[in-house]
């Protein structure tokens, strides 16, 4: 794997690839790689001849009181894993300037109304930060394909909407959620939790799963949601939202909605906020 630490190094590596007219897939990450990320690389390899991964903890998507400083940075381990997966290029910028050039002059991409709902309600500005960095990475790397995980359901949709207007030639692929044995969706933030807390956290998945089953059985939606929230509270999880939406995240407030839909939930457990969803 070619490791690039500056824009110059990245440009050279990309030029060598484009000379051979390779199809390039991008897997953007913030590092601390786990099986979920590695599954994105394996999927990317099915859609392109070369893969490039980025590891960049993007300051723009963290709020003032969030975990930007303590976000796990495990570069050595990450590089080993990427080598093992035979990723072709890694862009691991030495500093923020290698991504944004002039931090005062960043082209902010606004995430609109959807960006202020669900996770955006709890993390104002978060999705603007995500879209801004992903747009920048798309501009710098200009991949043919980009892969994002379905765990960050809202993020994936917002990126898709942004790409339709700004990067229509990039094919976006949504990769399924990878779960631990107890059902919990893999996430770098799971590292903040102890073993007993991880067991508690599995109740978010259980409540989403149970809610989807109940909806299929025509149980009233309002009842499903209030029971799910009560269940989470009884398991010492603090729910932020628990909602049913359609696959574009339009609100659903009726029973028996026939199209593709998704239950989404977010909880806090001991200061760590987790998200998960089930599409059905
Ligand atoms: O999902 C993530 O890890 C990040 O939000 C992303 C897409 C790499 C942008 O920083």
């Amino acid at each position: 794997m070619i490791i690039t630490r500056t824009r110059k190094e990245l440009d050279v590596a990309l030029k060598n690839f484009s000379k051979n007219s390779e199809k390039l897939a991008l897997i953007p990450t913030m590092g601390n790689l786990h099986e979920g990320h590695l599954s994105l690389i394996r999927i990317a390899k099915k859609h392109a001849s070369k893969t490039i991964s980025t590891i960049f903890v993007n300051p723009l998507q963290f709020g003032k009181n969030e975990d930007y400083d303590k976000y796990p940075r495990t570069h050595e381990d990450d590089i080993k894993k990427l080598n093992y997966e035979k990723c072709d290029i890694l862009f691991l910028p030495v500093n923020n300037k290698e991504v944004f050039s002039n931090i005062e002059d960043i082209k902010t991409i606004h995430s609109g109304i959807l960006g202020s709902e669900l996770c955006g309600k709890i993390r104002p500005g978060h999705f603007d930060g995500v879209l801004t960095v992903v747009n920048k990475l798309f501009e710098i790397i200009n991949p043919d394909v980009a892969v994002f995980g379905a765990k960050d359901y809202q993020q994936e949709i917002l990126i898709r909407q942004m790409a339709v207007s700004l990067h229509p030639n990039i094919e976006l692929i949504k990769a399924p959620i990878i779960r631990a044995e107890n059902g919990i969706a893999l996430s770098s933030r799971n590292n903040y939790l102890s073993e007993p807390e991880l067991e508690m956290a599995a109740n978010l998945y259980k409540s989403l799963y149970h809610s989807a089953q109940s909806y299929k059985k025509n149980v009233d939606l309002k009842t499903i949601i209030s029971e799910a929230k009560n269940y989470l509270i009884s398991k010492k999880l603090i729910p932020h939202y628990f909602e049913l939406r359609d696959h574009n995240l339009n609100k659903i407030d009726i029973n028996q909605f026939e199209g593709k839909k998704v239950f989404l939930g977010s909880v806090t457990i001991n200061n760590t906020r987790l998200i998960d969803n089930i599409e059905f």
Side-chain angles (χ1 to χ4, degrees), residues 28-30 58 61 130 133-134 148 152 155:
T29 81
M30 298 205 299
N58 167 33
Q61 68 189 78
V130 170
V133 78
V134 172
F148 295 90
D152 298 301
Q155 164 174 287

Side-chain angles (χ1 to χ4, degrees), residues 14 16-17 33 37 44 56 82 100 116 131 160 163 186 189-190 204 217 238:
L14 289 172
N16 284 341
F17 275 163
L33 305 180
H37 297 108
F56 178 58
L82 291 173
F100 292 117
S116 63
L131 294 186
R160 199 169 278 279
L186 296 193
R189 289 194 171 95
N190 294 349
L204 174 58
K217 288 183 202 143
I238 303 166

Side-chain angles (χ1 to χ4, degrees), residues 2 10-22:
I2 302 167
L10 175 67
D11 287 346
V12 172
L14 289 172
K15 255 191 207 130
N16 284 341
F17 275 163
S18 57
K19 267 191 220 141
N20 303 329
S21 58
E22 304 277 8

Side-chain angles (χ1 to χ4, degrees), residues 184-250:
I184 189 171
L186 296 193
S187 158
S188 298
R189 289 194 171 95
N190 294 349
N191 286 341
Y192 297 149
L193 302 179
S194 65
E195 278 301 321
E197 285 169 343
L198 283 170
E199 279 310 311
M200 278 163 70
N203 288 303
L204 174 58
Y205 170 69
K206 280 186 198 151
S207 65
L208 289 163
Y209 180 81
H210 181 76
S211 299
Q213 297 307 314
S214 301
Y215 193 82
K216 285 183 209 163
K217 288 183 202 143
N218 292 336
V219 179
D220 173 59
L221 178 59
K222 279 196 183 121
T223 310
I224 295 175
I225 289 178
S226 76
E227 282 183 357
K229 285 183 175 167
N230 288 337
Y231 174 79
L232 292 169
I233 292 166
S234 77
K235 298 292 177 189
K236 303 206 166 31
L237 304 176
I238 303 166
H240 298 290
Y241 61 77
F242 196 99
E243 291 193 25
L244 180 68
R245 298 225 172 180
D246 76 6
H247 72 294
N248 287 317
L249 289 184
N250 297 306

